Amino acid sequence: MEKLEEIIFYTLEKSIKKYRQFAQNKIDKNGFDITIDQWLVLKTIQESDEISQQKIAEMVFKDLASVTRIIELLVKKNYLIRNINEQDRRRFKLDITNDGKKVIEDIYPLVISNRKQALNDISTDEIVKLKHQLEKIINNCK
């Protein structure tokens, strides 16, 4: 039987976990009061006007309950406002506050720096090839 270290999916998961730990540590050290998941939810809302919580969950790879908790925290931090959706009163319209817009903007250079460090010594061609291979895996699992 193969060892965990020999399994590509183990290495993929390990790389994602290491990057998230590294990136969250940088966010914390720079004095931001936000997690990676909270930032991803904010960024997703910013990029997709009037997006449902279900769609947010799909986009950030979280279950609906986790996204609901994240949104609640973002509201408490004054990064988001929940308003009644006039077209469907059973749903909320999520609006990013000025504080939310500022934190997205302020963290963005750090996000770029984190990605740059994580991808150090990996060429653009290697990144394109890796992305292509990962997309094959995604398609094989549909």
Side-chain angles (χ1 to χ4, degrees), residues 27-138:
I27 289 169
D28 295 343
K29 282 185 177 179
N30 280 273
F32 293 106
D33 180 29
I34 195 165
T35 66
I36 291 171
D37 289 335
Q38 291 168 1
W39 189 85
L40 287 170
V41 168
L42 273 181
K43 189 76 173 123
T44 301
I45 293 167
Q46 180 190 49
E47 292 179 358
S48 305
D49 193 36
E50 301 206 20
I51 189 169
S52 70
Q53 285 186 224
Q54 181 66 44
K55 187 65 177 171
I56 293 168
E58 291 172 22
M59 297 289 294
V60 299
F61 311 108
K62 297 286 178 193
D63 60 69
L64 192 54
S66 295
V67 169
T68 300
R69 284 190 298 274
I70 289 169
I71 288 171
E72 184 62 35
L73 288 169
L74 292 170
V75 168
K76 285 181 182 177
K77 291 179 180 186
N78 195 39
Y79 294 154
L80 271 183
I81 297 173
R82 269 189 301 235
N83 293 308
I84 298 295
N85 185 324
E86 293 301 326
Q87 285 78 27
D88 183 352
R89 298 186 69 70
R90 295 169 296 173
R91 297 173 57 192
F92 290 106
K93 182 177 181 323
L94 300 169
D95 292 309
I96 301 174
T97 65
N98 287 336
D99 288 348
K101 291 174 186 173
K102 183 168 177 15
V103 79
I104 291 170
E105 184 179 316
D106 289 348
I107 288 181
Y108 191 68
L110 185 59
V111 169
I112 298 302
S113 173
N114 290 345
R115 289 177 191 163
K116 184 177 179 181
Q117 184 172 341
L119 295 172
N120 187 35
D121 292 332
I122 302 174
S123 72
T124 302
D125 187 49
E126 289 173 311
I127 293 168
V128 168
K129 286 178 183 174
L130 176 60
K131 189 170 191 267
H132 180 71
Q133 298 303 317
L134 292 172
E135 285 171 355
K136 283 183 180 180
I137 292 171
I138 291 165

